[in-house]
């Protein structure tokens, strides 16, 4: 079946611009996660959705970052007034969520590589 | 101090070698543990979960030592295709994965 998909695969923008990154989770997965991976580092948690609601957004670095999942499926990560330090790979993952129990496996998408010039 | 620490490597080994990676974690309340594999410019993929009793999947063996708060991964009979970055992952809650920075493995012919 189809895995997690993310668009665009690459995004180059200028400092100060606004960007939107999209994630399509695996069909039937109620949980969705955003992570950010900088060069040479492991992914860092940003936000977790269970259904439509953001159950934990403690990883968002500041108020320039915002994410939505209005219908409990597709999610959009929005970054305002981008800075050079926002350059990274933004990874989305999905899982069964509450039905998955303690061994709920997160499946990752291919990521969006964001470059802020 | 990072919550999950790994030796970044690279570990450069010949085909057929046995190689072991360790990682340590700082939060004793961590609930579940995993090894993910990440190929260059690709997404992380679950390699295996790690249990206190130890578990094996083919050439791969994972161990967890809760008392010492470390996790290990052993790869036997290394293949060229094993070349990748191996991420040690700890789950503090039912959803939040905490990743180490990864250990890079290079298997040479």
């Amino acid at each position: 079946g189809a895995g997690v998909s993310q668009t665009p695969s690459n995004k180059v923008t200028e400092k100060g611009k606004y960007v939107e990154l999209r994630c399509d989770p695996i069909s039937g997965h109620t949980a969705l996660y955003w992570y950010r991976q900088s060069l040479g580092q492991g992914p860092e948690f940003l936000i977790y959705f269970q259904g439509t609601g953001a159950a934990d957004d403690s990883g968002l670095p500041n108020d320039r970052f915002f994410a939505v999942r209005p219908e409990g499926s597709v999610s959009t990560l929005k970054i305002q007034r981008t800075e050079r330090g926002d350059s990274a790979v933004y990874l989305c993952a999905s899982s069964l969520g509450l039905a998955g129990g303690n061994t709920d496996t997160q499946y990752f998408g291919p990521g969006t590589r964001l470059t802020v010039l | 101090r990072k919550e999950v620490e790994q030796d970044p490597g690279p570990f450069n080994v010949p085909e057929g070698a046995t190689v072991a990676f360790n990682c340590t974690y700082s939060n004793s309340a961590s609930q579940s543990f995993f090894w993910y594999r990440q190929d260059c410019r690709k997404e992380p993929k679950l390699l295996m979960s790690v249990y206190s009793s130890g578990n094996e999947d083919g050439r791969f063996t994972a161990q967890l030592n809760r008392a010492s708060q470390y996790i290990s991964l052993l790869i036997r009979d290394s293949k060229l295709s094993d070349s990748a970055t191996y991420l040690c992952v700890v789950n503090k809650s039912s959803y939040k994965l905490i990743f180490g920075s990864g250990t890079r493995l290079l298997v040479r012919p």
Side-chain angles (χ1 to χ4, degrees), chain B:
Chain B
R1 184 188 170 193
K2 290 185 179 180
E3 289 192 66
V4 179
E5 301 223 41
Q6 297 181 248
D7 181 343
F11 285 65
N12 191 323
V13 303
E15 268 189 293
T18 294
V19 61
F21 309 135
N22 292 327
C23 96
T24 58
Y25 60 95
S26 60
N27 190 331
S28 59
S30 300
Q31 297 178 359
S32 42
F33 309 87
F34 311 92
W35 284 99
Y36 273 71
R37 171 194 168 128
Q38 187 170 29
D39 292 291
C40 188
R41 300 179 78 89
K42 299 287 189 182
E43 71 272 24
K45 292 185 178 177
L46 179 65
L47 178 65
M48 57 198 305
S49 300
V50 189
Y51 306 111
S52 297
S53 55
N55 49 303
E56 189 174 307
D57 182 2
R59 298 181 294 107
F60 298 82
T61 301
Q63 292 273 353
L64 166 65
N65 185 318
R66 283 189 183 271
S68 301
Q69 295 180 205
Y70 83 78
I71 306 156
S72 65
L73 177 68
L74 182 79
I75 305 175
R76 289 180 298 278
D77 188 24
S78 300
K79 311 292 184 191
L80 295 176
S81 58
D82 293 336
S83 297
T85 295
Y86 291 83
L87 297 162
C88 178
V89 187
V90 167
N91 191 335
K92 284 202 306 188
S93 61
S94 61
Y95 57 85
K96 186 184 288 190
L97 298 182
I98 308 298
F99 286 80
S101 297
T103 298
R104 192 167 166 219
L105 172 65
L106 301 172
V107 182
R108 63 181 187 270

Side-chain angles (χ1 to χ4, degrees), chain A residues 45-58:
Chain A
F45 171 84
L46 296 178
I47 187 169
Y48 155 60
F49 287 90
Q50 179 55 50
T52 60
D56 184 343
D57 65 358
S58 62

